[in-house]
Amino acid sequence: MPQGLPSLLSAGQPRYLVLAQALVDDIKAGRYPLGSLLPTEHELCEQFSVSRHTVREAIRRLSELGLITRQQGVGTRVKATQLAPRYVQASEGIADLHQYVRDVRLEISSIDDVILDEALAELLEAKPGQSWLHVSGLRHRDGDTETLARTDVYINRAYRGVADDLGDGSEPIYTLIERRYGLHVVQVSQQLSAVNIGEADARVLEVEPGSAGLLVVRKYFGANQDLLEVAVNLHPGSRFSYSVTQHLRFQGEA
């Protein structure tokens, strides 16, 4: 095992990333087989001549990558020897949202009515005290056992009847609203935020509490800026990324 990391620091990377990469390489090379325990924090500090903070940040990174799991009183155990595949959503327009739903199914766990408090009212651009339909569940990619996202969908009370059409979660809710009410979604706004995943969500998503997550809020508008639906998706950062392509129109183009 290397003593210190001077040769790997030439690229100017943070020390915890250098240590994380060294541990990833060791796992891939079989030095730490599947199911085995990594050295303790103290041992890693001694082996690599780094601080305890550096070790903890490196271990957190390996957890985000899905390679290890930590259990208090037991240690840090290798749960995978290859990096987990990440779902990449590419978007050039509203039509690309169909591709996301074709790839990923919403497994609905609850459907209920919620009375908006101030925080929800601000999110939904509505007034506190209003009633909206709330659909919650988990998103999975077909053939993949890992949860891709925890999802909460809020539907304008005027379109509550769509609850009868939800089915198995294989069709976008906004298209169900369009078909049932003869409407058309004309605008989708999206807000992406980097977050740390809390304990309750971490249990559901099977990741470490405090690990990196991506919060994606999509708002679907009909004509006259009528807000039909708001979808809130919390993704583990190690399983999802988002790519956007924009086409620029130059002067003189039609």
Side-chain angles (χ1 to χ4, degrees):
M1 189 66 64
Q3 300 294 322
L5 302 169
S7 64
L8 295 176
L9 289 173
S10 58
Q13 287 185 311
R15 293 182 70 85
Y16 79 90
L17 287 179
V18 176
L19 175 56
Q21 185 59 59
L23 292 173
V24 168
D25 292 342
D26 283 346
I27 290 172
K28 288 182 176 181
R31 295 188 181 95
Y32 303 118
L34 187 67
S36 67
L37 294 175
L38 292 185
T40 65
E41 286 186 3
H42 177 73
E43 290 170 337
L44 289 172
C45 289
E46 292 292 322
Q47 290 173 2
F48 290 95
S49 300
V50 294
S51 69
R52 188 176 293 270
H53 173 74
T54 296
V55 169
R56 288 177 177 172
E57 286 299 299
I59 293 299
R60 181 180 64 82
R61 179 59 177 157
L62 263 63
S63 177
E64 291 174 356
L65 293 172
L67 292 174
I68 56 99
T69 182
R70 290 180 289 177
Q71 185 175 349
Q72 189 172 4
V74 176
T76 303
R77 191 178 300 278
V78 177
K79 74 171 187 178
T81 57
Q82 297 294 327
L83 297 180
R86 173 182 293 194
Y87 181 89
V88 179
Q89 182 184 351
S91 178
E92 296 186 26
I94 292 177
D96 290 311
L97 295 176
H98 285 283
Q99 181 63 46
Y100 174 71
V101 179
R102 281 195 297 269
D103 293 343
V104 179
R105 173 171 295 184
L106 174 61
E107 297 181 1
I108 297 172
S109 58
S110 67
I111 304 173
D112 55 9
D113 293 301
V114 294
I115 303 300
L116 306 187
D117 57 18
E118 290 189 4
L120 264 182
E122 182 177 358
L123 172 68
L124 304 180
E125 304 180 20
K127 294 181 179 179
Q130 287 185 351
S131 175
W132 282 54
L133 181 67
H134 174 220
V135 179
S136 64
L138 302 176
R139 293 193 186 276
H140 293 87
R141 186 168 38 176
D142 284 343
D144 196 342
T145 58
E146 286 190 316
T147 301
L148 187 63
R150 180 188 62 74
T151 296
D152 291 284
V153 179
Y154 299 93
I155 300 165
N156 190 312
R157 175 66 177 174
Y159 311 110
R160 192 197 181 287
V162 78
D164 297 331
D165 304 330
L166 292 177
D168 62 0
S170 61
E171 188 171 359
I173 293 177
Y174 72 88
T175 63
L176 299 176
I177 294 174
E178 287 179 319
R179 183 164 62 240
R180 185 178 183 92
Y181 294 96
L183 303 173
H184 293 286
V185 171
V186 298
Q187 177 183 325
V188 180
S189 69
Q190 297 190 104
Q191 180 178 349
L192 284 70
S193 305
V195 297
N196 291 323
I197 299 177
E199 289 190 9
D201 289 326
R203 286 194 296 271
V204 172
L205 296 171
E206 298 182 320
V207 296
E208 291 290 338
S211 60
L214 183 65
L215 186 68
V216 182
V217 178
R218 294 190 182 96
K219 297 183 178 182
Y220 298 84
F221 295 89
N224 302 317
Q225 287 293 296
D226 183 21
L227 182 55
L228 312 177
E229 171 199 334
V230 176
V232 181
N233 296 280
L234 176 61
H235 299 272
S238 60
R239 301 176 194 164
F240 183 86
S241 63
Y242 191 84
S243 171
V244 177
T245 300
Q246 295 181 329
H247 298 282
L248 302 180
R249 177 174 295 177
F250 294 95
Q251 186 175 4
E253 290 186 345

